[in-house]
Amino acid sequence: MTDWAQVRADTPGADTVLHFNNAGSALPTTQVVQAQLAYLELEAKIGGYEAFAQQGEALEKPYTALAKLLNCHSDEIAIVTSSTAAWFQVFGGLHFKAGDRILTSVTEYGSNFLAYLQAVKRQQVQIEIIPEDDEGDIDVPALESMLSNGAQRPALIAITHIPTSSGRVYTSAAAVGAVAQREGIPYLLDATQSVGQMPVDVQALGCDYLTSTGRKFVRGPRGTGILYASRAAMARREPAMVDVHGAVWTGRNEYELVPSAKRYELFEMSYGAKLGLGVALDYILDMGIDAIWERVQFLAGLLRDKLREVPEVTVQDKGRLLCGIVSFTMVGCKVHNNGMPSSSACAFMVSSGVH
């Protein structure tokens, strides 16, 4: 049984704030922070390249840990600087042409949709939104109809597993994967809000690519991103760009990609953050993702129940399966575009340590 008191003791920020912003950036453990600081101190003492060479085994931890957590091979994992960077490395390598169809979800993440709009402007692709069913999940029969009714087969299906602005989980993500695999359509799943708070199995989901981050429910450092790219997908498509870390320049006009998902990485990143990510992932594996998911659902359910007792509050979450993100509206409380509260009540909450 997980010792939740020890988990709180391992989290220094738990003594000073009530932190409800794991969907933005979670509080890291002491172990993660100490690992990062120790690496930075080592760099300062012996040099960056030398520290990298000395800590090579520790820097491989994110790959082996994610292979266990996501049910894949370690050579199908890349560590980059953000979930968006991982997503762009995949999306930019698909080489769309005029008329290509991109199928996406109603609640697609804003940065992803901006990339679609750029593709419309640059390559004249078409964006099509997959409808939701009455419970707020992906409508798989509607997806099937879109495949049969379109002039050509879609070039990409890309959805967000858990929206940033809602507590719902798209439980039909695996059914979407089955459709994509059957039709031979690339399937890109944004799991930025999923990995770390709930079990995520890329084999069951049937995705070709999955992206996530270290700073949210993984409770790792900022500046770390996660990419899963299946071996089959890597055999068919290249990253948006490569450097000397991801490919070997074999001749004047020739290069060879490295034989793993590290082809999606670039040479330069914060290696202290990468090492800290490995520590955070090991912490998840030690706790057990099933125990974490059970705790997340319990606390989120408790919060929703308590919020419903407040007359001014309306809980907005709906769906077959709800996660740790709790969305609600409150009479008189609005948030500006810069994220700052617009009422004195909301401002008081933030200044009082309720994040």
Side-chain angles (χ1 to χ4, degrees), residues 33 77 96 98 101 108 148 162 174 180 213 219 224-225 259 282 288 304 313 318 343 351:
V33 175
I77 296 295
F96 298 106
R101 303 166 64 204
E108 183 69 334
S148 60
I162 296 177
T213 184
R219 303 178 67 204
T224 55
D282 276 349
R304 290 187 186 97
V313 170
K318 68 172 185 175
S343 74
S351 64

Side-chain angles (χ1 to χ4, degrees), residues 317-341:
D317 295 326
K318 68 172 185 175
R320 295 187 184 93
L321 180 65
L322 301 181
C323 67
I325 299 176
V326 178
S327 60
F328 62 93
T329 52
M330 180 177 177
V331 176
C333 184
K334 297 181 180 180
V335 177
H336 294 300
N337 289 336
N338 63 4
M340 297 301 293

